[in-house]
Amino acid sequence: MPTSPSDPRPGPRAVSADLAVVGAGPAGLAGAVTAARLGLSVVLLDAADRPGGQYYRHPAAGLGAARPEALHHGWRAFAEREAALRAHGSAGRITYLPGHHVWSVTGEAPHWTLHAVASGGDEGSAGEPFGERPATVHARAVLLATGAYERQLPFPGWTLPGVVGAGGAQAMLKAGLVLPGRRVVVAGSGPLLLAVAGSLAAAGARVPAVVEAAAYTGYAGELPALLRNPGKLAEGALHGGALLRHQVRLLSRHAVTAAHGTDRVEAVTVSRLDRDWRPVPGTGRTIPCDALAVGHGLVPQLELATALGCTTRRTADGTRALVLDADQRTSVPGLWAAGETGGIGGAQLALAEGELAAHAVARALRGALPAGGPVPAAPAALVRRRARLRAFADAMAAAHEPGAGWTGWLTDDTDVCRCEEVPAGRIREAVADLGATDARTVKLLTRAGMGWCQGRMCGPAVAALTGQDAAADRRPLSCPVPLRHLAALPPDGSAGSAGPAAPAGTAGGTGAGAGPSGPSGTTH
């Protein structure tokens, strides 16, 4: 039976479908419901318990939030697609599997196998906790909509309690209806800062300043892209009006270069930056606060794609994104991607790309359609919308690219890798005295990036200290996996052949949970 968004029961161990979609944020949700409308059977997997991704976060059910939409822009677009997900789930066209963290994709088109760690539910009939169930999905095509995570550039004091990510502060508000503090400085770079500051101020926090490292004059050279997106300009004006209304000071070309406190953050030092983001001597000022929300943009989450050999590109803001064609195809046949994986662009662009990818998949698999007829072309207006929003996203990325001089605010005793407590001085020593020329060698010499986050948090900083761009993440497992799940895989690791796609929700192949249990540890 397909699992609906409101059904708390765990999904089946193994299912097969025409299309497997990884991620139920704006891109994945739009792709799944569009593909189902075009006649494909779809399996939608997501690590969260409810659809929406990081953007459309839901307050916990026990909080009794009366109007969760009040904390979001564009809630109607999400609500319509969530309703479609429910409808297609009830009709058997979409199998929705929440609480499923995909850790690997194997095989090739048209025989893909997705391995996931499933969570949620009660104990199984054999006493096995569903929180660590293996799950397997077979599909003829795969759409990756894995989103992004926050980029952090460290500074002295960034590990103090009360220092949170800008996106983390917004998540606390949206999901927990709580504030990170009463007096919150918002800092870093990117348009997310304005949205976060406005949301925190509207919820009752005092926001003394938004500290933006880039100069907004960077948008001046992108006038055509701005004029093509009047809605984005209106959104920016809305955020600016909120800052004025709540008396929030906006400091551009400034950065938090240190946080101070004992048991938690009590104040921050804000310094003016030059064009390369180097702190200008003598410009530091202290701003008292009890919380700091800081982030320097987003990084596309690419582990599943790069493990399959997908080609990546350097974006205008210095991150890595997938190379995609006009149909959202990656360089690997049978594998599509949408949303932030192709470059950070926001929810509206992700919705458009998800729909376009679904049209492309349906055309590629048109023999799987019930009628077997041609698939209608994607609406021309949708193609134009993607081009318009992508142009704005590229302009935004260029305006907020970190300057090379930001490492000037790192003292030698500042922890860069917080998992392994590796300070900047040790990394500089590895480069200057031990001959390290890349982040991998630094990792071997210092352990920077060997901790729980596996370099997701410190990777950009370590790369900057070695004088290189951050490389795309390449790892065989995208999340921690119990060893018994790996031990239960067939010798070739394929978990069986996908074969022809069966209706969504039916069992197929040799599930990853088959066979005896192995060791009960977890690997990552």
Side-chain angles (χ1 to χ4, degrees):
M1 177 183 295
T3 304
S4 72
S6 60
D7 188 351
R9 295 172 299 175
R13 287 183 180 272
V15 297
S16 296
D18 296 318
L19 173 65
V21 181
V22 183
L29 185 58
V33 299
T34 302
R37 177 171 55 81
L38 293 173
L40 298 183
S41 59
V42 180
V43 176
L44 175 61
L45 304 98
D46 191 62
D49 293 329
R50 296 190 63 181
Q54 300 294 330
Y55 190 82
Y56 296 111
R57 279 182 174 268
H58 302 266
L63 296 176
R67 294 190 309 114
E69 67 276 10
L71 296 172
H72 297 83
H73 294 287
W75 181 263
R76 174 182 288 184
F78 164 72
E80 291 173 350
R81 287 164 177 82
E82 185 185 34
L85 174 62
R86 294 178 184 274
H88 288 304
S90 298
R93 291 185 289 269
I94 295 180
T95 298
Y96 170 52
L97 301 178
H100 282 62
H101 200 146
V102 177
W103 56 267
S104 181
V105 180
T106 59
E108 60 184 21
H111 304 298
W112 294 110
T113 300
L114 292 80
H115 305 285
V117 176
S119 62
D122 303 317
E123 279 201 336
S125 57
E128 178 186 10
F130 283 130
E132 292 185 342
R133 283 185 307 118
T136 305
V137 170
H138 303 298
R140 300 177 66 197
V142 175
L143 171 58
L144 296 178
T146 46
Y149 55 93
E150 201 158 19
R151 174 166 57 185
Q152 294 293 342
L153 304 183
F155 49 87
W158 76 304
T159 58
L160 279 171
V163 179
V164 300
Q170 193 172 53
M172 291 173 66
L173 181 58
K174 289 182 176 181
L177 304 183
V178 295
L179 295 169
R182 295 184 178 182
R183 184 178 173 88
V184 188
V185 171
V186 178
S189 187
L192 177 63
L193 303 185
L194 302 180
V196 170
S199 297
L200 294 176
R206 173 75 177 97
V207 181
V210 172
V211 185
E212 166 61 62
Y216 287 108
T217 53
Y219 283 94
E222 306 292 343
L223 190 59
L226 300 182
L227 295 178
R228 290 173 62 192
N229 289 273
K232 292 291 187 182
L233 296 178
E235 187 176 328
L238 184 66
H239 290 316
L243 298 188
L244 287 173
R245 188 166 58 254
H246 293 287
Q247 298 180 324
V248 178
R249 186 176 184 185
L250 178 60
L251 299 173
S252 65
R253 196 165 281 174
H254 283 72
V256 168
T257 52
H260 313 283
T262 50
D263 295 332
R264 66 174 290 122
V265 64
E266 299 170 3
V268 296
T269 295
V270 174
S271 303
R272 187 159 57 86
L273 305 180
D274 66 15
R275 296 178 63 87
D276 292 323
W277 286 33
R278 292 182 182 85
V280 177
T283 62
R285 72 181 79 173
T286 300
I287 300 179
C289 62
D290 63 358
L292 169 63
V294 60
H296 294 82
L298 301 174
V299 179
Q301 191 152 337
L302 306 179
E303 295 97 333
L304 293 176
T306 54
L308 291 167
C310 292
T311 303
T312 64
R313 63 182 177 89
R314 186 190 188 278
T315 67
D317 65 355
T319 60
R320 306 297 299 186
L322 296 179
V323 173
L324 305 174
D325 69 8
D327 286 329
Q328 300 295 135
R329 286 188 183 91
T330 71
S331 60
V332 175
L335 188 67
W336 283 258
E340 314 291 40
T341 53
I344 305 303
Q348 294 179 13
L349 177 59
L351 291 169
E353 289 185 344
E355 291 187 34
L356 288 171
H359 278 274
V361 173
R363 288 196 301 273
L365 302 183
R366 57 184 176 273
L369 296 177
V375 176
L382 190 61
V383 176
R384 291 193 298 271
R385 186 188 314 157
R386 177 186 59 184
R388 172 172 55 80
L389 291 170
R390 177 53 69 189
F392 182 85
D394 291 343
M396 178 179 66
H400 294 279
E401 179 187 12
W406 74 265
T407 56
W409 67 58
L410 284 176
T411 58
D412 280 346
D413 60 351
T414 302
D415 279 341
V416 171
C417 173
R418 59 194 306 166
C419 297
E420 295 292 324
E421 298 182 336
V422 180
R426 197 182 306 168
I427 296 172
R428 288 173 173 144
E429 179 185 20
V431 174
D433 300 336
L434 303 180
T437 58
D438 55 51
R440 178 177 175 80
T441 305
V442 169
K443 180 178 181 178
L444 294 174
L445 292 172
T446 68
R447 295 190 58 83
M450 287 190 180
W452 180 254
C453 82
Q454 289 288 283
R456 290 177 179 87
M457 181 75 71
C458 67
V462 173
L465 287 169
T466 60
Q468 294 188 333
D469 287 334
D473 279 337
R474 296 183 184 275
R475 60 189 83 242
L477 309 177
S478 70
C479 71
V481 182
L483 288 175
R484 66 176 179 274
H485 292 192
L486 301 180
L489 293 173
D492 63 358
S494 65
S497 174
T506 61
T510 310
S517 295
S520 59
T522 297
T523 185
H524 62 86

